[in-house]
Amino acid sequence: HTLLALRARLGCDTEDLGIIRDEPRSLETALDRAAGSADALVTSGGVSAGDRDFTRELLSRLGRVHFWNIAMRPGRPMAFGRLQSGGNSCLMFALPGNPVASAVACIQFVRGALLRMMGCAAAELPLLQARARHAIAKKAGRTEFLRGIIRRDDDGTSVGLTGPQGSAMLSSLCQADCLIVLSHDQGNVAEGDRVAVLLLDGLM
């Protein structure tokens, strides 16, 4: 539902292929159908490295994987490539299965690509600056997207976390009005530090 809402905001014609079993034959049938009828396919789940994760393997066999695994959190196990079926092909965005991870990956990667495919200038989403209301632990070496709530008062604009940040916790995204974006090389954030903020208004 979250991914459908994100794409509906862009004005895409979307077909929901439903839930496909984590079984290679069922997945291959669905991928083959999508390649023959869609310009782009967005999937969620089955793209990590577990025993039942077949999506990336099938994309590699039926087309080409351009990249897999992103230095980001949430959203690391994402694959992108081109899916082929007969003489037809489509772009494929294989997003993680956890709902927050798939939503963040969709905002960061799928949105801009679909806008370009529709002939729009895919301008980067603007980042604002806000003061962190509390300390945030962060390891350098990956970009992190944390769900936050903006507040404006006499001291300016500040941002705080919605609570626990597990990528399976859709409630943390439902409560948020922004994403706190901590860059790849950034480390721990102290209370009062300035952080980059991406507003969710208009995206979902």
Side-chain angles (χ1 to χ4, degrees), residues 54-93:
F54 303 115
T55 305
R56 178 176 59 92
E57 175 187 337
L58 284 169
L59 173 57
S60 179
R61 180 154 59 84
L62 300 176
R64 179 181 177 188
V65 176
H66 292 293
F67 62 77
W68 177 57
N69 277 354
I70 313 295
M72 63 183 281
R73 179 184 182 188
R76 179 176 181 270
M78 172 193 162
F80 168 74
R82 182 169 289 278
L83 183 65
Q84 295 178 326
S85 175
N88 300 311
S89 70
C90 72
L91 295 180
M92 181 169 170
F93 301 86

Side-chain angles (χ1 to χ4, degrees), residues 114-165:
L114 294 183
L115 284 173
R116 287 293 295 270
M117 292 172 71
M118 291 188 290
C120 300
E124 292 187 15
L125 292 167
L127 293 177
L128 309 179
Q129 293 290 315
R131 187 183 72 257
R133 289 202 291 272
H134 40 249
I136 302 172
K138 160 78 163 61
K139 290 183 178 181
R142 66 186 178 197
T143 302
E144 295 195 9
F145 299 87
L146 307 174
R147 282 74 77 197
I149 299 175
I150 287 280
R151 187 170 69 201
R152 295 177 178 84
D153 52 34
D154 293 340
D155 295 328
T157 302
S158 64
V159 63
L161 299 177
T162 57
Q165 295 289 301

